[in-house]
Amino acid sequence: MTDTKKSIHGEWSSRFAFILAATGSAVGLGNIWKFPYITGENGGGAFVLVYLLCVVFIGVPIMIAETMMGRRGRQSPINTMETLAAEAEADTNWHYLGWMGVAAGFLILSYYSVIAGWASAYVFKAFFGSFSGADAAEIKGLFDNFVASPVQLIFWHTLFMLATMLIVARGVKSGLERAVRFLMPGLFVLMILLVGYAMTTGAYDQGLKFLFTPDFSKITGDSVLTAMGHAFFTLSLGMGAIMVYGSYLPKDVSIAKTAFLIAGSDTVVALLAGIAIFPIVFANGLEVGSGPGLIFQTLPIAFGNMTGGWLFGILFFVMLVFAALTSSISLIEPAVAWLVENKDMSREKACAWSGLATWLLGLGTVFSFNIWSDFKVFDRSLFHLVDYLTANLMLPIGGFGIAMFAGWVMKQRHSEQELQMSSAEGYQLWKFLVCYIAPAAVFLVFLNVVGVI
């Protein structure tokens, strides 16, 4: 199939372009906003170790599988699953796996855009000196007043969604590829600068100790689920993004080698974010378990009171916006691709409709921080409900489905043809991990969380 079928949306110009794009999809708010605060909430080093194990033994095999399936199908995730199920002479209901991935990406972007809007607003707050000389109470008040204003949140949410859709509307090479070629190198440079600053805070060793010294008494079934869910979240697995990006991948590119490079780059950025953030938090006597507001309520205190803080504050939030954009364009791409393929829409029209729908859904997250703050579903705000539903349930279930399909449903000759691994042992190792280890790990963690084991 790969030899003759091409995506109607185009292809990446090179292996490097795909690596940048897929790494950009993986590297986002999950690494810089979410990873530090969930690490803080789950005890530090032990959580990091569990997360790394999840990346290596679950995330990478499933990333290889999802990329392979995308390249073989050469369509949106929904249509790819229909095509691959027919090719494997399997149940047609497998296309619901594609639907769930597209839905997960759609739901994630609805709140992702709101948080990215916070980062966009904080670039300007940093630039105009809002953090200068401020203490903890003043910064908390600044953040509380900001999120309490639906008008402000809607403005920044709207601005970020418009930027996302303008990039996606330009297509694979002119939009997605050109954006990540600029954004990803900029992101890495800014991250290295911030790590360099963290080394001067006087709490660098304390930050490293917190991040890399495991305390297994802090690990529970729920924290393991969180680590696994975050591995899926930060690698963009189970949400259709890697599958649709894989569909634009030239046939002569090694999927396995590329997946390791992407996962490695993504993990390095997450760890660099922790290395940059925790020393600043400790040096200023701040709370590591501050939740989603960690970088908005704690780091501005540091930026407002340290030498060079004005510049580093601007750089940090610019970096956060860059990271968010590289991920947001991949989150909406599966839905846009499906609309183009199935509804005879131009790419621009598909972007407009999908962007509008995502924007409207994002209003639920906006209001969950202010006028609907007392509204709870299963004792969770709308934001926390969507976050939990996607990261801790939909993505692992999607990853489980991808592993089962690639390992047990796809014909072996088809997966061997796509992966083109240099050694039979490498293929057999991947097959073992994707058939047994990855799905078993997901299943056991779910059983633990629901109290069965």
Side-chain angles (χ1 to χ4, degrees):
M1 183 181 295
T2 294
D3 294 333
T4 58
K5 193 172 181 63
K6 289 186 178 292
S7 170
I8 65 170
H9 309 287
E11 284 189 351
W12 305 114
S13 63
S14 65
R15 174 174 178 259
F16 179 67
F18 171 70
I19 291 172
L20 277 182
T23 304
S25 174
V27 173
L29 291 180
N31 301 73
I32 303 169
W33 161 67
K34 193 173 185 181
F35 177 73
Y37 91 71
I38 62 174
T39 299
E41 290 178 336
N42 289 278
F47 177 82
V48 172
L49 181 60
V50 173
Y51 163 72
L52 293 176
L53 290 172
C54 288
V55 168
V56 173
F57 292 105
I58 304 174
V60 171
I62 292 177
M63 175 176 275
I64 292 171
E66 188 167 353
T67 307
M68 173 195 68
M69 290 160 64
R71 187 167 71 178
R72 190 152 190 90
R74 295 290 188 188
Q75 300 164 90
S76 66
I78 298 165
N79 292 338
T80 282
M81 290 311 304
E82 289 181 352
T83 299
L84 295 186
E87 181 185 54
E89 299 174 344
D91 193 313
T92 57
N93 286 323
W94 277 105
H95 78 278
Y96 288 115
L97 181 62
W99 275 107
M100 188 168 70
V102 173
F106 185 80
L107 288 169
I108 289 170
L109 184 56
S110 74
Y111 75 77
Y112 202 92
S113 175
V114 176
I115 306 301
W118 296 2
S120 305
Y122 268 57
V123 170
F124 289 88
K125 291 181 187 296
F127 181 81
F128 289 109
S130 299
F131 312 145
S132 181
D135 59 21
E138 290 171 322
I139 292 296
K140 186 178 186 304
L142 181 73
F143 178 76
D144 289 345
N145 289 335
F146 174 64
V147 298
S149 169
V151 173
Q152 288 191 67
L153 297 194
I154 290 171
F155 172 79
W156 292 107
H157 167 48
T158 304
L159 202 64
F160 185 82
M161 277 303 305
L162 284 173
T164 298
M165 302 323 297
L166 285 172
I167 293 171
V168 176
R170 293 177 62 84
V172 176
K173 288 186 179 178
S174 298
L176 306 179
E177 185 173 321
R178 185 172 294 177
V180 295
R181 281 186 181 274
F182 168 73
L183 294 173
M184 287 310 299
L187 173 63
F188 276 100
V189 170
L190 292 175
M191 183 66 77
I192 295 299
L193 286 173
L194 284 169
V195 169
Y197 173 77
M199 296 174 71
T200 70
T201 60
Y204 187 67
D205 290 344
Q206 187 180 359
L208 290 183
K209 183 178 179 181
F210 177 78
L211 199 57
F212 296 114
T213 302
D215 177 3
F216 292 104
S217 67
K218 303 286 181 68
I219 294 297
T220 65
D222 202 48
S223 61
V224 173
L225 178 63
T226 300
M228 184 177 65
H230 189 66
F232 281 95
F233 183 93
T234 191
L235 291 175
S236 295
L237 302 178
M239 60 182 74
I242 294 299
M243 192 178 292
V244 79
Y245 273 16
S247 74
Y248 308 148
L249 185 63
K251 66 180 181 180
D252 57 346
V253 173
S254 169
I255 290 174
K257 291 177 182 176
T258 303
F260 275 103
L261 282 172
I262 294 164
S265 300
D266 176 74
T267 303
V268 166
V269 171
L271 295 176
L272 285 175
I275 292 169
I277 290 169
F278 286 121
I280 297 174
V281 170
F282 287 124
N284 291 272
L286 307 175
E287 177 55 53
V288 295
S290 300
L294 174 67
I295 60 175
F296 298 100
Q297 294 188 72
T298 57
L299 293 189
I301 304 170
F303 295 141
N305 292 278
M306 69 192 194
T307 303
W310 176 80
L311 176 60
F312 281 103
I314 295 171
L315 289 177
F316 178 83
F317 288 108
V318 166
M319 177 183 67
L320 200 58
V321 174
F322 277 17
L325 269 174
T326 61
S327 292
S328 66
I329 59 179
S330 72
L331 289 169
I332 200 66
E333 178 67 15
V336 171
W338 183 82
L339 288 173
V340 171
E341 292 166 5
N342 291 74
K343 299 300 178 183
D344 196 28
M345 289 187 183
S346 66
R347 191 170 181 87
E348 292 79 5
K349 187 175 180 180
C351 283
W353 280 110
S354 55
L356 177 62
T358 309
W359 179 84
L360 286 170
L361 192 61
L363 295 180
T365 294
V366 167
F367 297 146
S368 72
F369 290 100
N370 36 74
I371 59 177
W372 291 351
S373 60
D374 294 329
F375 178 71
K376 306 287 183 183
V377 180
F378 301 117
D379 203 33
R380 299 176 190 272
S381 69
L382 287 177
F383 162 68
H384 286 99
L385 179 68
V386 174
D387 182 33
Y388 187 87
L389 176 67
T390 53
N392 289 21
L393 297 177
M394 293 178 75
L395 300 191
I397 292 171
F400 179 86
I402 288 166
M404 295 301 291
F405 187 90
W408 296 97
V409 179
M410 255 184 110
K411 297 184 186 302
Q412 181 164 321
R413 69 177 185 274
H414 295 155
S415 58
E416 285 180 325
Q417 179 186 355
E418 288 299 329
L419 293 179
Q420 300 172 0
M421 289 191 178
S422 57
S423 70
E425 292 79 9
Y427 177 82
Q428 291 303 323
L429 176 60
W430 169 78
K431 188 85 170 178
F432 175 74
L433 290 172
V434 86
C435 282
Y436 300 103
I437 302 302
V442 175
F443 187 64
L444 288 173
V445 170
F446 272 115
L447 289 182
N448 181 271
V449 170
V450 299
V452 176
I453 60 172

